[in-house]
Protein backbone atom coordinates (compact mmCIF):
# COMPACT_ATOMS: atom_id res chain seq x y z
CA UNK A 1 0.00 0.00 0.00
CA UNK A 2 1.24 3.47 -0.94
CA UNK A 3 -0.28 6.29 1.10
CA UNK A 4 0.08 9.91 0.06
CA UNK A 5 -1.13 13.24 1.45
CA UNK A 6 -2.76 16.35 0.07
CA UNK A 7 -1.71 19.63 1.69
CA UNK A 8 -4.54 21.73 0.23
CA UNK A 9 -6.46 22.90 3.32
CA UNK A 10 -10.16 22.16 3.27
CA UNK A 11 -9.75 19.22 0.88
CA UNK A 12 -10.26 15.58 1.88
CA UNK A 13 -9.78 12.58 -0.40
CA UNK A 14 -11.23 9.13 0.23
CA UNK A 15 -11.28 5.76 -1.53
CA UNK A 16 -13.50 2.72 -1.42
CA UNK A 17 -12.93 -0.31 -3.63
CA UNK A 18 -14.00 -3.88 -4.22
CA UNK A 19 -10.73 -5.71 -4.72
CA UNK A 20 -12.39 -8.86 -6.04
CA UNK A 21 -14.75 -7.17 -8.50
CA UNK A 22 -11.99 -4.67 -9.39
CA UNK A 23 -13.87 -1.40 -9.28
CA UNK A 24 -14.04 1.54 -6.92
CA UNK A 25 -14.73 5.14 -6.03
CA UNK A 26 -12.52 8.12 -5.20
CA UNK A 27 -14.16 11.20 -3.69
CA UNK A 28 -12.71 14.69 -3.29
CA UNK A 29 -14.60 16.49 -0.53
CA UNK A 30 -14.56 20.29 -0.33
CA UNK A 31 -16.93 20.76 2.61
CA UNK A 32 -16.47 24.55 2.66
CA UNK A 33 -17.07 24.70 -1.08
CA UNK A 34 -14.58 25.19 -3.89
CA UNK A 35 -14.79 27.13 -7.13
CA UNK A 36 -14.72 24.62 -9.96
CA UNK A 37 -14.35 24.17 -13.70
CA UNK A 38 -14.15 21.21 -16.06
CA UNK A 39 -12.87 20.36 -19.51
CA UNK A 40 -13.88 17.21 -21.39
CA UNK A 41 -11.65 16.28 -24.34
CA UNK A 42 -12.47 12.62 -24.95
CA UNK A 43 -15.46 11.83 -27.13
CA UNK A 44 -17.04 9.15 -24.91
CA UNK A 45 -17.44 10.75 -21.48
CA UNK A 46 -19.61 9.67 -18.59
CA UNK A 47 -20.23 12.66 -16.36
CA UNK A 48 -22.59 14.30 -13.87
CA UNK A 49 -23.25 18.03 -13.22
CA UNK A 50 -20.60 19.24 -15.65
CA UNK A 51 -22.98 21.73 -17.30
CA UNK A 52 -23.28 23.48 -13.95
CA UNK A 53 -19.58 24.36 -14.13
CA UNK A 54 -19.99 26.49 -17.23
CA UNK A 55 -18.98 30.02 -16.16
CA UNK A 56 -22.31 31.43 -17.39
CA UNK A 57 -24.29 29.23 -15.00
CA UNK A 58 -25.35 30.21 -11.50
CA UNK A 59 -23.81 28.05 -8.78
CA UNK A 60 -20.23 29.10 -8.04
CA UNK A 61 -19.01 26.36 -5.73
CA UNK A 62 -19.08 22.58 -5.54
CA UNK A 63 -18.85 20.39 -2.43
CA UNK A 64 -17.44 17.20 -3.94
CA UNK A 65 -16.00 15.68 -7.09
CA UNK A 66 -16.37 11.94 -7.59
CA UNK A 67 -14.14 9.78 -9.80
CA UNK A 68 -15.31 6.20 -10.22
CA UNK A 69 -15.29 3.02 -12.23
CA UNK A 70 -18.42 1.24 -13.39
CA UNK A 71 -18.99 3.16 -16.62
CA UNK A 72 -22.39 4.91 -16.60
CA UNK A 73 -23.58 2.58 -13.83
CA UNK A 74 -20.95 4.13 -11.56
CA UNK A 75 -22.70 7.50 -11.62
CA UNK A 76 -24.87 6.08 -8.81
CA UNK A 77 -21.95 6.65 -6.42
CA UNK A 78 -22.70 10.39 -6.34
CA UNK A 79 -26.02 9.66 -4.62
CA UNK A 80 -24.13 8.31 -1.61
CA UNK A 81 -21.87 11.35 -1.58
CA UNK A 82 -24.88 13.65 -1.62
CA UNK A 83 -26.45 11.72 1.25
CA UNK A 84 -23.25 12.00 3.31
CA UNK A 85 -23.01 15.75 2.76
CA UNK A 86 -26.70 16.49 3.30
CA UNK A 87 -26.60 14.66 6.65
CA UNK A 88 -23.88 17.11 7.67
CA UNK A 89 -25.82 20.12 6.34
CA UNK A 90 -23.28 20.81 3.63
CA UNK A 91 -24.55 22.21 0.35
CA UNK A 92 -26.34 24.99 -1.49
CA UNK A 93 -28.96 26.45 0.84
CA UNK A 94 -32.45 26.26 -0.71
CA UNK A 95 -34.36 27.00 2.48
CA UNK A 96 -35.83 23.60 3.30
CA UNK A 97 -32.47 21.84 3.07
CA UNK A 98 -28.97 22.20 1.72
CA UNK A 99 -28.35 20.62 -1.66
CA UNK A 100 -24.77 19.33 -2.07
CA UNK A 101 -23.26 20.14 -5.46
CA UNK A 102 -21.54 16.93 -6.51
CA UNK A 103 -19.83 16.51 -9.88
CA UNK A 104 -18.60 13.21 -11.24
CA UNK A 105 -16.75 11.47 -14.04
CA UNK A 106 -16.59 7.71 -14.63
CA UNK A 107 -14.27 5.35 -16.44
CA UNK A 108 -14.98 2.00 -18.12
CA UNK A 109 -13.63 -0.95 -16.10
CA UNK A 110 -16.37 -3.53 -16.77
CA UNK A 111 -14.08 -5.92 -18.67
CA UNK A 112 -11.80 -6.46 -15.69
CA UNK A 113 -13.15 -8.28 -12.65
CA UNK A 114 -16.91 -8.72 -12.10
CA UNK A 115 -18.91 -6.39 -14.34
CA UNK A 116 -22.03 -7.01 -12.24
CA UNK A 117 -20.48 -5.11 -9.32
CA UNK A 118 -20.42 -1.34 -9.87
CA UNK A 119 -19.81 1.68 -7.63
CA UNK A 120 -23.13 2.53 -6.02
CA UNK A 121 -24.66 4.73 -3.31
CA UNK A 122 -23.15 2.63 -0.51
CA UNK A 123 -19.65 2.79 -1.98
CA UNK A 124 -19.93 6.54 -2.51
CA UNK A 125 -21.01 7.07 1.10
CA UNK A 126 -18.24 4.87 2.51
CA UNK A 127 -15.62 6.63 0.38
CA UNK A 128 -16.68 9.86 2.11
CA UNK A 129 -16.29 8.21 5.50
CA UNK A 130 -12.74 7.24 4.52
CA UNK A 131 -11.84 10.75 3.34
CA UNK A 132 -8.98 12.66 4.94
CA UNK A 133 -5.67 14.29 4.12
CA UNK A 134 -4.07 10.85 3.68
CA UNK A 135 -5.25 8.42 1.01
CA UNK A 136 -4.00 5.46 -1.03
CA UNK A 137 -2.82 5.43 -4.63
CA UNK A 138 -2.35 2.57 -7.08
CA UNK A 139 -5.01 -0.16 -7.11
CA UNK A 140 -7.42 1.88 -5.02
CA UNK A 141 -10.58 3.90 -5.54
CA UNK A 142 -11.29 4.78 -9.15
CA UNK A 143 -7.97 3.19 -10.14
CA UNK A 144 -8.87 -0.30 -8.89
CA UNK A 145 -9.92 -1.60 -12.30
CA UNK A 146 -7.94 0.81 -14.46
CA UNK A 147 -5.81 -0.46 -17.33
CA UNK A 148 -3.82 0.93 -20.27
CA UNK A 149 -2.63 -0.03 -23.74
CA UNK A 150 -5.56 -1.93 -25.28
CA UNK A 151 -4.95 -1.89 -29.02
CA UNK A 152 -4.02 -5.60 -28.94
CA UNK A 153 -7.02 -6.42 -26.69
CA UNK A 154 -7.19 -6.66 -22.90
CA UNK A 155 -5.02 -9.79 -23.00
CA UNK A 156 -2.02 -7.62 -23.86
CA UNK A 157 -2.96 -4.53 -21.85
CA UNK A 158 -1.25 -3.47 -18.61
CA UNK A 159 -2.53 -2.52 -15.17
CA UNK A 160 -2.74 1.11 -14.16
CA UNK A 161 -4.32 2.86 -11.20
CA UNK A 162 -4.88 6.03 -9.20
CA UNK A 163 -2.09 8.60 -8.95
CA UNK A 164 -1.34 11.90 -7.25
CA UNK A 165 1.31 14.60 -7.54
CA UNK A 166 1.62 17.98 -5.85
CA UNK A 167 3.67 21.17 -6.13
CA UNK A 168 4.13 23.34 -3.06
CA UNK A 169 5.65 26.84 -3.38
CA UNK A 170 7.31 28.77 -0.56
CA UNK A 171 4.53 31.37 -0.90
CA UNK A 172 2.04 28.75 0.25
CA UNK A 173 0.60 28.06 -3.19
CA UNK A 174 -0.30 24.40 -3.67
CA UNK A 175 -1.27 22.79 -6.98
CA UNK A 176 -2.05 19.08 -6.92
CA UNK A 177 -3.34 16.56 -9.45
CA UNK A 178 -5.36 13.40 -8.79
CA UNK A 179 -5.96 11.02 -11.70
CA UNK A 180 -7.31 7.57 -12.52
CA UNK A 181 -5.50 6.41 -15.67
CA UNK A 182 -7.56 4.07 -17.84
CA UNK A 183 -6.24 5.08 -21.25
CA UNK A 184 -6.47 3.35 -24.62
CA UNK A 185 -2.94 4.52 -25.34
CA UNK A 186 0.57 4.02 -23.96
CA UNK A 187 2.37 5.94 -21.20
CA UNK A 188 5.29 8.01 -22.47
CA UNK A 189 8.15 9.43 -20.39
CA UNK A 190 11.22 11.18 -21.82
CA UNK A 191 10.19 10.06 -25.29
CA UNK A 192 9.99 6.36 -24.38
CA UNK A 193 7.09 4.02 -23.65
CA UNK A 194 7.19 2.95 -20.00
CA UNK A 195 3.87 1.10 -19.95
CA UNK A 196 1.12 0.24 -22.42
CA UNK A 197 0.15 -2.27 -25.09
CA UNK A 198 2.36 -5.35 -25.04
CA UNK A 199 3.55 -7.62 -27.83
CA UNK A 200 2.77 -11.34 -27.75
CA UNK A 201 5.84 -11.96 -25.59
CA UNK A 202 4.28 -9.69 -22.92
CA UNK A 203 7.77 -8.34 -22.28
CA UNK A 204 8.07 -5.61 -24.93
CA UNK A 205 5.86 -2.73 -26.04
CA UNK A 206 3.81 -2.85 -29.23
CA UNK A 207 3.71 0.96 -29.67
CA UNK A 208 0.05 1.89 -30.09
CA UNK A 209 0.62 4.96 -32.25
CA UNK A 210 2.78 3.08 -34.76
CA UNK A 211 0.30 0.21 -34.94
CA UNK A 212 -2.54 2.63 -35.65
CA UNK A 213 -0.54 4.36 -38.38
CA UNK A 214 0.73 1.21 -40.05
CA UNK A 215 -2.63 -0.53 -40.18
CA UNK A 216 -4.87 2.52 -40.57
CA UNK A 217 -7.39 0.51 -38.56
CA UNK A 218 -8.96 1.20 -35.19
CA UNK A 219 -7.94 -2.17 -33.80
CA UNK A 220 -8.79 -2.66 -30.17
CA UNK A 221 -11.11 0.33 -30.09
CA UNK A 222 -13.85 -0.74 -27.74
CA UNK A 223 -15.41 0.97 -24.77
CA UNK A 224 -12.63 0.19 -22.30
CA UNK A 225 -11.05 3.56 -21.80
CA UNK A 226 -11.09 7.06 -20.22
CA UNK A 227 -8.64 8.96 -18.00
CA UNK A 228 -10.36 11.09 -15.37
CA UNK A 229 -8.77 13.50 -12.93
CA UNK A 230 -8.84 16.75 -11.02
CA UNK A 231 -6.55 19.67 -10.33
CA UNK A 232 -6.77 20.77 -6.68
CA UNK A 233 -5.33 24.12 -5.65
CA UNK A 234 -5.56 26.74 -2.91
CA UNK A 235 -5.27 29.53 -5.50
CA UNK A 236 -7.99 32.16 -5.78
CA UNK A 237 -9.66 31.54 -9.14
CA UNK A 238 -12.98 32.33 -10.81
CA UNK A 239 -15.11 29.69 -12.52
CA UNK A 240 -13.79 30.81 -15.89
CA UNK A 241 -10.20 30.58 -14.63
CA UNK A 242 -10.86 27.11 -13.21
CA UNK A 243 -12.08 26.04 -16.63
CA UNK A 244 -8.91 27.42 -18.19
CA UNK A 245 -6.79 25.51 -15.68
CA UNK A 246 -8.62 22.28 -16.50
CA UNK A 247 -8.06 22.94 -20.22
CA UNK A 248 -4.32 23.49 -19.84
CA UNK A 249 -4.01 20.47 -17.53
CA UNK A 250 -4.90 18.30 -20.52
CA UNK A 251 -1.39 19.12 -21.76
CA UNK A 252 -0.22 16.84 -18.96
CA UNK A 253 -2.37 14.08 -20.43
CA UNK A 254 -0.96 14.73 -23.88
CA UNK A 255 2.67 14.63 -22.71
CA UNK A 256 2.22 11.36 -20.81
CA UNK A 257 -0.33 9.39 -22.87
CA UNK A 258 -0.19 8.51 -26.58
CA UNK A 259 -2.61 8.49 -28.28
CA UNK A 260 -4.92 10.61 -26.14
CA UNK A 261 -8.46 12.03 -26.50
CA UNK A 262 -9.65 9.32 -28.89
CA UNK A 263 -13.27 8.84 -29.93
CA UNK A 264 -13.70 6.14 -27.30
CA UNK A 265 -11.87 7.84 -24.44
CA UNK A 266 -13.91 10.13 -22.21
CA UNK A 267 -10.93 12.09 -20.91
CA UNK A 268 -12.08 14.64 -18.34
CA UNK A 269 -10.32 17.01 -15.91
CA UNK A 270 -11.96 19.02 -13.15
CA UNK A 271 -10.28 21.97 -11.44
CA UNK A 272 -11.04 22.91 -7.82
CA UNK A 273 -9.82 26.13 -6.16
CA UNK A 274 -10.26 26.90 -2.46
CA UNK A 275 -9.36 30.60 -2.85
CA UNK A 276 -6.61 31.20 -0.30
CA UNK A 277 -3.66 32.41 -2.40
CA UNK A 278 -3.60 35.29 -4.89
CA UNK A 279 -1.53 34.35 -7.92
CA UNK A 280 -1.42 34.34 -11.72
CA UNK A 281 -3.83 32.10 -13.61
CA UNK A 282 -1.02 31.24 -16.01
CA UNK A 283 1.23 30.09 -13.18
CA UNK A 284 -1.47 27.78 -11.85
CA UNK A 285 -2.35 26.46 -15.30
CA UNK A 286 1.27 25.70 -16.17
CA UNK A 287 1.81 23.95 -12.85
CA UNK A 288 -1.42 22.03 -13.37
CA UNK A 289 -0.15 20.51 -16.61
CA UNK A 290 3.13 19.53 -14.94
CA UNK A 291 1.63 17.92 -11.83
CA UNK A 292 -0.96 16.11 -13.94
CA UNK A 293 1.81 14.58 -16.03
CA UNK A 294 3.58 13.43 -12.87
CA UNK A 295 0.32 12.13 -11.38
CA UNK A 296 -0.11 9.88 -14.42
CA UNK A 297 3.36 8.41 -13.86
CA UNK A 298 2.44 8.00 -10.19
CA UNK A 299 -0.70 6.05 -11.15
CA UNK A 300 1.23 3.67 -13.38
CA UNK A 301 4.22 3.15 -11.09
CA UNK A 302 2.13 2.53 -7.97
CA UNK A 303 -0.17 -0.05 -9.57
CA UNK A 304 0.12 -3.80 -9.10
CA UNK A 305 -0.64 -6.64 -11.49
CA UNK A 306 -4.03 -8.38 -11.34
CA UNK A 307 -5.72 -11.16 -13.34
CA UNK A 308 -2.68 -11.62 -15.57
CA UNK A 309 -2.29 -7.93 -16.43
CA UNK A 310 1.32 -6.95 -15.88
CA UNK A 311 2.22 -3.73 -14.11
CA UNK A 312 5.03 -1.22 -14.57
CA UNK A 313 6.98 -2.86 -11.76
CA UNK A 314 6.86 -6.25 -13.48
CA UNK A 315 8.76 -4.88 -16.49
CA UNK A 316 10.95 -2.14 -15.05
CA UNK A 317 14.06 -2.12 -12.90
CA UNK A 318 13.23 1.42 -11.78
CA UNK A 319 12.67 1.72 -8.05
Amino acid sequence: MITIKTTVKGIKIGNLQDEEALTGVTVILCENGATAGVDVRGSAPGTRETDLLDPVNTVDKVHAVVLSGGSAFGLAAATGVMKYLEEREIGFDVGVTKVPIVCQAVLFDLLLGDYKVRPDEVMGYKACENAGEDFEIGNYGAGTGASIGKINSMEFAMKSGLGYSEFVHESGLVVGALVAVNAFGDIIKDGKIIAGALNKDKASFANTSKLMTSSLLQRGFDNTNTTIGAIITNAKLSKAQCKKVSQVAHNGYARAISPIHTTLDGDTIFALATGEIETSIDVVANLASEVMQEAIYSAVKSSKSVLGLKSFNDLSDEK
Side-chain angles (χ1 to χ4, degrees):
M1 178 188 300
I2 300 176
T3 301
I4 201 161
K5 181 176 183 178
T6 177
T7 60
V8 181
K9 293 180 181 179
I11 296 292
K12 297 178 182 177
I13 299 173
N15 292 319
L16 198 285
Q17 54 280 328
D18 187 319
E19 296 179 2
E20 293 185 1
L22 293 177
T23 194
V25 179
T26 299
V27 61
I28 307 167
L29 294 180
C30 5
E31 296 174 346
N32 296 322
T35 307
V38 68
D39 189 61
V40 181
R41 295 287 175 92
S43 298
T47 56
R48 179 185 188 277
E49 293 280 40
T50 51
D51 283 350
L52 191 67
L53 302 185
D54 189 310
V56 304
N57 291 333
T58 301
V59 175
D60 288 328
K61 295 183 181 296
V62 304
H63 304 98
V65 167
V66 182
L67 308 177
S68 82
S71 188
F73 296 110
L75 291 170
T79 302
V81 178
M82 289 194 69
K83 179 180 179 182
Y84 176 90
L85 291 170
E86 185 187 23
E87 288 176 355
R88 287 153 182 80
E89 298 185 347
I90 297 169
F92 183 74
D93 194 343
V94 295
V96 293
T97 188
K98 291 184 178 179
V99 180
I101 307 302
V102 178
C103 302
Q104 185 176 1
V106 298
L107 56 79
F108 187 103
D109 57 4
L110 301 182
L111 296 184
L112 196 63
D114 185 353
Y115 76 93
K116 295 180 180 179
V117 178
R118 301 99 179 225
D120 57 13
E121 180 177 346
V122 174
M123 292 184 73
Y125 191 96
K126 290 183 176 179
C128 293
E129 291 183 319
N130 291 340
E133 294 179 353
D134 299 309
F135 59 97
E136 307 87 358
I137 59 172
N139 295 20
Y140 290 90
T144 305
S147 56
I148 51 175
K150 299 154 196 173
I151 195 167
N152 286 333
S153 81
M154 284 295 292
E155 182 181 357
F156 300 99
M158 286 182 66
K159 187 69 182 74
S160 183
L162 183 72
Y164 186 77
S165 181
E166 189 176 89
F167 172 89
V168 182
H169 191 264
E170 59 185 12
S171 66
L173 175 67
V174 183
V175 181
L178 181 72
V179 64
V181 182
N182 191 56
F184 169 77
D186 303 324
I187 307 303
I188 310 296
K189 185 176 183 182
D190 298 326
K192 297 181 180 179
I193 299 173
I194 64 169
L198 297 173
N199 289 312
K200 290 184 178 180
D201 61 8
K202 292 191 177 183
S204 59
F205 299 117
N207 194 319
T208 299
S209 289
K210 286 188 177 180
L211 283 177
M212 289 174 65
T213 302
S214 63
S215 66
L216 296 181
L217 298 174
Q218 293 183 326
R219 290 193 298 145
F221 265 57
D222 47 28
N223 296 321
T224 59
N225 314 302
T226 295
T227 298
I228 51 178
I231 298 298
I232 307 163
T233 180
N234 61 357
K236 186 176 181 180
L237 301 174
S238 66
K239 282 179 72 175
Q241 289 174 326
C242 282
K243 183 173 182 63
K244 184 63 178 178
V245 168
S246 62
Q247 288 177 339
V248 177
H250 275 279
N251 292 338
Y253 278 15
R255 287 196 290 261
I257 302 171
S258 177
I260 191 65
H261 305 148
T262 72
T263 57
L264 289 173
D265 280 292
D267 305 317
T268 300
I269 299 178
F270 296 94
L272 300 170
T274 61
E276 292 183 9
I277 303 293
E278 293 273 4
T279 189
S280 162
I281 170 63
D282 290 315
V283 168
V284 176
N286 183 59
L287 288 171
S289 67
E290 292 181 357
V291 294
M292 183 57 78
Q293 181 180 3
E294 292 302 319
I296 291 169
Y297 299 145
S298 165
V300 171
K301 293 180 179 181
S302 61
S303 65
K304 295 182 179 180
S305 59
V306 295
L307 297 182
L309 289 191
K310 289 190 173 183
S311 70
F312 170 86
N313 294 294
D314 295 323
L315 300 179
S316 175
D317 294 329
E318 182 178 331
K319 301 299 181 182

